[in-house]
Amino acid sequence: MTAALLGGLGALITPSAAQAANLLSNPGFESGTLSDWSCTGNTGSVVSNPVHGGTKALAGAASATDNARCSQTVSVQPNTAYTLSAWVRGNYVHLGVVGGAATWTPSASGYTQLTVSFTTGASQRTAEVYLHGWYGQGTYHADDLSLDGPGGGDDGEAPTTPSSPRVTGTSTTSVSLAWNASTDNVGVTGYDVHRDGALATSVTGTAATVTGLTAGTEYRFTIRAKDRAGNVSPHSPAVTATTDETGGEDPRFVQAAPYLYLGWGNPPSPAEVVNTTGVKWFTMAFILAQNGCNPAWDSQRPLTGGVDESTIQAIRAAGGDIVPSIGGWSGNKLGPNCSSAEALAGAYQKVIDAYDLKAIDVDIENTDEFENAVVQDRILGALKIVKQNNPGLRTILTFPTLNTGPNSWGNRLIERAHALDADIDNFTIMPFNFGGGADMYGSTVKATHGLKNKLMSAFGWNEAQAYAHIGISGMNDSSDTGEVTTPQIWTQIRDWANSHDIGRLAFWSVNRDRPNWEFTSITAGFTG
């Protein structure tokens, strides 16, 4: 194996000794993402259990048609010895380097360390290391990988200093920043944002939002660029920002936004609904995928130039506004069709730019998005990116629930939102379809209590903070399973929501609320 890597000169040259350094980026997946790793067929995800060290590990979902291969390419020195190791768990887990050594374990019920050594060729400058399971053998786990040896020998050049740092937005608890890109002889891989001398966040683009700040407080920020070899630029010039004062305008995100769907049910005149009921927001359904990672209404109608854009204009002319619902139960969705968080963020950005939006809602349901760990993380990553790139934008996640609160997939979604620092403004549950005859008021309150408790546990919020991040999206009249929510019950739910200062109230749908817009009028009385 060594001779193959060294080629014809292998017998004449003595490999240099490796130095103690881990060349892999994100080796323990503690970033909470697959950053710097590439996994085939969206088979990789980051999990919090089981782990070997730290709090995160890789899960590779091997199937009958995909061995869940995850790889990373690093810079190396020619004619140099390296040692690759990983802690793995599962059946037929393989570890190796392309063109070099490999090893595997037939079965590891607990974490077992795999190790291989290899020597680079005389002119080799990169090495691709990989892990994979085996077809039909189920999910494997890996953690705490290490590639021990000296980094790419010729890259001792640091990136240039990020220039023109600037404040692009503030709130009571956050500051949004932007800067001009750095350059590097090989390539810039990311930026570290420092707050008052300490690392606050790391991003791959030229904008970031630092959260968790205190109202009415001045902060000082600098930015440093970094490359794959670990070279880091000098700090940028400092920029200062003061968070907004508490008081005055309500800093909370409060939205009463019943669904309006132009693809079904003789859609009503939105201006008539606004003028009759006083409602100011509509959740407008549904943005889906068209021809890959391209957003379109119902996968068919373009974002601009059609009935959807003219409807939005009519709503705004009447004094209202819209939040688009991206996803839903059925249809061809953006989450599975976009290949990465960055690509998905680009699709979301097209929607934001088309309508100059103040908020977006991702309705994450069914097995293709909600019950898919990779897609969950992709959606959260994309929402984090657009939040950073659009200061002031509000982000909403809408998802199903049990009558006791989030199910295991809902719990995971919340935990990952915290781990990825996605900065979601509102977690909206859909408390219905529990079964015919359910107590819709009692079940809704019970489910919302469960969500509140999960948010407090995951984020460390108090009750008031948790409620402020909660939304309820009900179903007027009869649900899919025959439950009945009457106007009287919906009024009870609205009043309970107001008394607990939750952040959002919606229902499906205005199209079904005829002839008097009774549920819409009740919803318009939601004040948070």
Side-chain angles (χ1 to χ4, degrees):
M1 202 69 72
T2 299
L5 278 169
L6 289 174
L9 298 178
L12 302 177
I13 301 174
T14 302
S16 60
Q19 303 168 9
N22 189 359
L23 302 185
L24 296 176
S25 299
N26 197 18
F29 307 94
E30 294 302 309
S31 69
T33 72
L34 293 173
S35 174
D36 296 309
W37 292 93
S38 176
C39 298
T40 58
N42 299 324
T43 54
S45 64
V46 178
V47 297
S48 56
N49 184 54
V51 300
H52 173 260
T55 61
K56 302 292 185 294
L58 168 70
S63 67
T65 58
D66 196 317
N67 64 4
R69 183 181 187 273
C70 296
S71 63
Q72 182 177 145
T73 299
V74 299
S75 298
V76 294
Q77 294 184 11
N79 189 42
T80 302
Y82 292 85
T83 300
L84 173 66
S85 65
W87 290 88
V88 302
R89 184 177 184 272
N91 295 329
Y92 297 95
V93 188
H94 294 66
L95 173 72
V97 58
V98 172
T103 187
W104 61 285
T105 176
S107 179
S109 57
Y111 273 104
T112 300
Q113 189 174 37
L114 298 178
T115 303
V116 295
S117 297
F118 65 97
T119 302
T120 52
S123 60
Q124 186 174 352
R125 294 288 180 179
T126 63
E128 182 182 358
V129 303
Y130 63 84
L131 287 152
H132 65 75
W134 200 248
Y135 302 98
Q137 294 298 314
T139 298
Y140 70 88
H141 296 88
D143 200 0
D144 298 328
L145 283 84
S146 175
L147 180 60
D148 178 22
D154 296 333
D155 186 13
E157 182 177 331
T160 60
T161 304
S163 61
S164 301
R166 51 203 179 271
V167 177
T168 57
T170 60
S171 73
T172 54
T173 59
S174 68
V175 171
S176 296
L177 305 165
W179 55 90
N180 294 346
S182 299
T183 59
D184 185 67
N185 62 315
V186 174
V188 175
T189 58
Y191 298 88
D192 290 336
V193 179
H194 293 258
R195 185 196 74 204
D196 297 330
L199 180 64
T201 188
S202 297
V203 296
T204 56
T206 56
T209 297
V210 179
T211 59
L213 307 182
T214 301
T217 304
E218 183 178 275
Y219 295 92
R220 180 179 181 272
F221 300 93
T222 60
I223 301 99
R224 302 182 77 182
K226 54 191 178 182
D227 64 18
R228 182 174 290 279
N231 300 307
V232 181
S233 77
H235 285 274
S236 72
V239 61
T240 59
T242 300
T243 50
D244 299 345
E245 296 282 353
T246 301
E249 183 179 348
D250 191 346
R252 298 177 305 145
F253 175 50
V254 178
Q255 188 184 76
Y259 278 83
L260 175 65
Y261 185 33
L262 299 189
W264 160 84
N266 186 24
S269 163
E272 177 189 344
V273 176
V274 170
N275 293 331
T276 301
T277 67
V279 74
K280 295 299 184 184
W281 283 88
F282 293 97
T283 303
M284 201 158 148
F286 289 102
I287 295 280
L288 297 171
Q290 182 182 48
N291 300 325
C293 187
N294 299 300
W297 293 102
D298 288 338
S299 294
Q300 300 171 1
R301 304 185 303 278
L303 296 179
T304 58
V307 63
D308 303 276
E309 183 181 30
S310 63
T311 298
I312 293 170
Q313 292 170 347
I315 291 169
R316 288 175 170 171
D321 209 342
I322 71 105
V323 53
S325 179
I326 303 172
W329 174 258
S330 60
N332 194 32
K333 300 166 197 172
L334 288 167
N337 276 280
C338 298
S339 61
S340 65
E342 291 75 16
L344 184 56
Y348 293 164
Q349 191 66 50
K350 290 179 182 178
V351 184
I352 294 165
D353 292 343
Y355 310 118
D356 191 21
L357 294 173
K358 299 180 179 69
I360 62 171
D361 167 47
V362 178
D363 187 338
I364 176 171
E365 301 186 54
N366 218 323
T367 56
D368 55 349
E369 289 195 318
F370 185 56
E371 297 179 9
N372 185 315
V374 172
V375 176
Q376 273 199 7
D377 286 359
R378 187 179 301 151
I379 289 170
L380 291 167
L383 289 174
K384 178 177 181 178
I385 291 169
V386 296
K387 191 85 178 280
Q388 291 173 335
N389 292 340
N390 300 271
L393 181 76
R394 303 292 194 163
T395 53
I396 305 161
L397 283 172
T398 298
F399 54 99
T401 182
L402 303 173
N403 63 2
T404 54
N407 66 8
S408 61
W409 286 105
N411 286 332
R412 183 194 185 277
L413 184 68
I414 293 165
E415 291 165 1
R416 298 296 293 146
H418 177 256
L420 296 175
D421 194 21
D423 195 21
I424 302 300
D425 290 286
N426 189 277
F427 296 86
T428 295
I429 53 171
M430 297 182 284
F432 52 81
N433 288 349
F434 302 131
D439 171 8
M440 294 310 292
Y441 171 75
S443 294
T444 298
V445 169
K446 186 176 180 181
T448 309
H449 272 307
L451 174 59
K452 176 260 299 182
N453 291 337
K454 182 61 183 181
L455 293 177
M456 291 175 65
S457 171
F459 289 92
W461 291 333
N462 60 32
E463 275 201 350
Q465 290 172 316
Y467 278 128
H469 287 82
I470 284 176
I472 294 171
S473 181
M475 187 174 281
N476 57 318
D477 296 322
S478 180
S479 70
D480 301 321
T481 58
E483 304 150 329
V484 176
T485 300
T486 64
Q488 292 73 28
I489 292 173
W490 189 239
T491 300
Q492 282 184 288
I493 292 171
R494 182 206 62 190
D495 291 347
W496 182 90
N498 281 339
S499 68
H500 288 76
D501 296 324
I502 77 165
R504 188 166 184 264
L505 188 66
F507 72 89
W508 178 267
S509 64
V510 175
N511 302 54
R512 306 167 71 227
D513 190 22
R514 301 181 193 260
N516 299 319
W517 320 123
E518 191 169 10
F519 283 84
T520 306
S521 297
I522 295 166
T523 304
F526 171 71
T527 57

